[in-house]
Amino acid sequence: MTYDPNNIFARILRGEIPCKKVMENDHVLAFHDINPGAPVHVLVIPKGAYVSMADFTANASVTEQAALMKAIGDVARQMGVSDTGYRVISNAGEDGNQEVPHLHFHVVGGRKLGRMLPRAD
Ligand code: 5GP
């Protein structure tokens, strides 16, 4: 999957499309998912143009990588799910069912989330 500079998250980062912001710093933006799958469903994205974790860890600076990791934990605390539990998901590529080709982490919680994946058998 290649980076499309007109993907929806790039447009949110450029301020062309609004979002419900949760937090922002020099390297990261977090905002509510437009179609939440749980009471808490926040997307945490790097500001740099990276498609996936494979791309990000190969090409982003250590500062950017640390900032993204920290933001995920900060968002869980800020959204009040750090004690009750939550899940962090990053879909990548075709098999991962990634819809938006800009690296993002879903932070979901606020209800019991069940098994992570249905069993194949
Ligand atoms: P993916 O399937 O790529 O892991 O997840 C993409 C997520 O982006 C989906 O959960 C979808 O609801 C969310 N999304 C798509 N378009 C928008 C948008 O314009 N604004 C926001 N806030 N979320 C969006």
Side-chain angles (χ1 to χ4, degrees):
M1 193 176 258
T2 53
Y3 191 82
D4 169 7
N6 286 319
N7 76 73
I8 202 96
F9 295 169
R11 298 186 65 199
I12 286 174
L13 284 168
R14 289 197 295 267
E16 295 167 8
I17 293 176
C19 70
K20 267 181 70 183
K21 193 186 295 184
V22 171
M23 60 83 68
E24 181 174 15
N25 63 32
D26 286 351
H27 300 292
V28 178
L29 176 67
F31 52 95
H32 292 277
D33 196 293
I34 204 166
N35 187 19
V40 171
H41 190 165
V42 174
L43 300 171
V44 185
I45 70 172
K47 288 191 170 177
Y50 306 103
V51 181
S52 65
M53 272 303 278
D55 180 18
F56 187 63
T57 55
N59 297 305
S61 68
V62 169
T63 303
E64 289 172 287
Q65 295 186 48
L68 184 63
M69 189 62 74
K70 175 168 167 42
I72 292 166
D74 288 349
V75 163
R77 275 195 309 281
Q78 189 175 327
M79 297 307 297
V81 294
S82 56
D83 290 338
T84 48
Y86 58 96
R87 185 170 290 157
V88 179
I89 303 163
S90 185
N91 298 317
E94 197 177 333
D95 283 357
N97 217 37
Q98 182 178 9
E99 289 172 21
V100 180
H102 182 113
L103 173 63
H104 50 283
F105 285 84
H106 301 253
V107 178
V108 291
R111 68 168 169 80
K112 293 209 184 303
L113 296 167
R115 268 188 197 281
M116 187 172 71
L117 293 172
R119 297 279 177 212
D121 49 355

